[in-house]
Amino acid sequence: KAGVTQTPRYLIKTRGQQVTLSCSPISGHRSVSWYQQTPGQGLQFLFEYFSETQRNKGNFPGRFSGRQFSNSRSEMNVSTLELGDSALYLCASSFRQGGGDEQFFGPGTRLTVL
Amino acid sequence: AQSVTQPDIHITVSEGASLELRCNYSYGATPYLFWYVQSPGQGLQLLLKYFSGDTLVQGIKGFEAEFKRSQSSFNLRKPSVHWSDAAEYFCAVLNGQGGKLIFGQGTELSVKP
């Protein structure tokens, strides 16, 4: 069974631009969560999607948004990029929504904002 | 608020030596606990998890962890470390509101030959 895939693996953007990251979950998984990883703040939860609906959201500004499609694939969008948005963005999928189930992580997208 | 503390930022052990990585959590109810490992430039791989039942949990790659409710701890152990175990290790608790893992700051493990 293929694992979680994320595209692209690397991105370089400049301040003020926007970016879209993509995540394809493991086949049959319907929950997708996104995390931001930085050296200073560590791993922080962004949001979770299940059945095309956002079920949970972390403490990030409205510039961070996401969506999930009917095939469970998810996208994350960051608008008006800031230098502090440089991070590794990790996507995780699980079968059930809301926990009680392990999350499988993708390799991440490394975003650099110049 | 729920939180996870990994007191050791960096640990160095000799190959073949035993390893214990510490994790303390703060959570009101029975926690769902996890240990993940991350190699440079990679995502997170689940080593083991505790949901309920036996407090000694076996994982992959020869790792085990023991849940101690009285100490709010979930320490990760391995009897004999291999050079390939060098990586960063994260302890996490699942937030009861669903889907949200709360991670510790991580412990970077270096292995001396």
Side-chain angles (χ1 to χ4, degrees), chain A residues 9 33 35 37 39-43 45 48 56 58 88 90 98-108, chain B residues 32 34 36 38 41-46 49 51 88 90 94-105:
Chain A
R9 291 293 310 277
S33 298
Y35 294 83
Q37 185 177 24
Q41 299 299 316
L43 282 152
F45 174 81
E48 182 204 13
N56 201 358
L88 181 66
L90 293 164
D101 197 5
E102 65 181 88
Q103 296 183 23
F104 293 85
F105 283 80
Chain B
Y32 287 2
F34 306 82
Y36 284 90
Q38 184 178 36
Q42 301 297 313
L44 302 173
Q45 181 182 23
L46 180 69
K49 61 188 178 187
F51 285 179
E88 189 152 22
F90 293 92
L94 186 67
N95 181 283
Q97 294 173 0
K100 171 182 177 180
L101 285 170
I102 298 170
F103 287 90
Q105 284 298 101

Side-chain angles (χ1 to χ4, degrees), chain A residues 36-102:
Chain A
Q36 181 196 64
Q37 185 177 24
T38 60
Q41 299 299 316
L43 282 152
Q44 294 186 289
F45 174 81
L46 281 155
F47 27 65
E48 182 204 13
Y49 285 86
F50 184 83
S51 293
E52 302 177 62
T53 302
Q54 187 180 93
R55 304 289 179 161
N56 201 358
K57 190 177 188 306
N59 295 324
F60 279 81
R63 300 185 297 106
F64 291 81
S65 63
R67 59 178 176 169
Q68 186 180 35
F69 302 94
S70 58
N71 62 357
S72 295
R73 189 177 70 85
S74 177
E75 288 181 348
M76 190 192 102
N77 184 275
V78 187
S79 62
T80 319
L81 285 166
E82 300 177 0
L83 295 179
D85 297 333
S86 293
L88 181 66
Y89 290 89
L90 293 164
C91 160
S93 78
S94 61
F95 181 70
R96 285 188 288 265
Q97 184 267 330
D101 197 5
E102 65 181 88

Side-chain angles (χ1 to χ4, degrees), chain B residues 10-24:
Chain B
H10 190 197
I11 283 182
T12 300
V13 300
S14 297
E15 191 168 16
S18 64
L19 170 70
E20 182 168 27
L21 303 182
R22 296 183 290 164
C23 172
N24 293 98

